[in-house]
Amino acid sequence: MTLDIQEGKLEEYHQHHVNSWPEVENALRSVGMRNLSLYSWESRLFYYAEYVGSISFEEAMEKYAKMPRVQEWEALMHKYQKQLPGSTGDVWWQPMKEIYHQD
């Protein structure tokens, strides 16, 4: 998935993730997210994670969004994030289409 960070805000955003909240990390693990990484190039972020949950990914994200401190964390992160053109409503991270894969 991908999104942009507001100009001049990447380092501050990065520092929040260096000191990420344990409740949010535990919430992600509890819904089946594993091997999660964020990468940046200039103001563009790429989010990689493996989902191993037993319910649909969409259901897992709905469950995650309702967990303690997650809404607070997401509100804080939205201060740095910038929705991509074409994003609608409360959708911030945009899925990316895989165009090539090699094992």
Side-chain angles (χ1 to χ4, degrees), residues 16-85:
H16 280 295
H17 285 81
V18 167
N19 301 299
S20 60
W21 300 350
E23 300 94 335
V24 174
E25 290 184 2
N26 291 336
L28 286 163
R29 282 187 203 97
S30 76
V31 297
M33 299 300 285
R34 301 290 185 275
N35 199 21
L36 192 152
S37 298
L38 292 176
Y39 299 91
S40 68
W41 180 77
E42 296 185 1
S43 64
R44 177 72 36 102
L45 295 182
F46 172 71
Y47 176 113
Y48 173 85
E50 297 169 4
Y51 177 64
V52 297
S54 58
I55 58 178
S56 75
F57 178 76
E58 291 76 17
E59 290 173 304
M61 292 299 94
E62 287 176 19
K63 183 177 177 181
Y64 162 77
K66 295 175 184 171
M67 293 184 173
R69 301 236 31 221
V70 168
Q71 290 177 350
E72 186 181 350
W73 173 264
E74 293 296 332
L76 177 61
M77 295 303 101
H78 289 339
K79 292 178 182 178
Y80 302 95
Q81 298 170 343
K82 180 177 164 183
Q83 288 180 303
L84 294 173

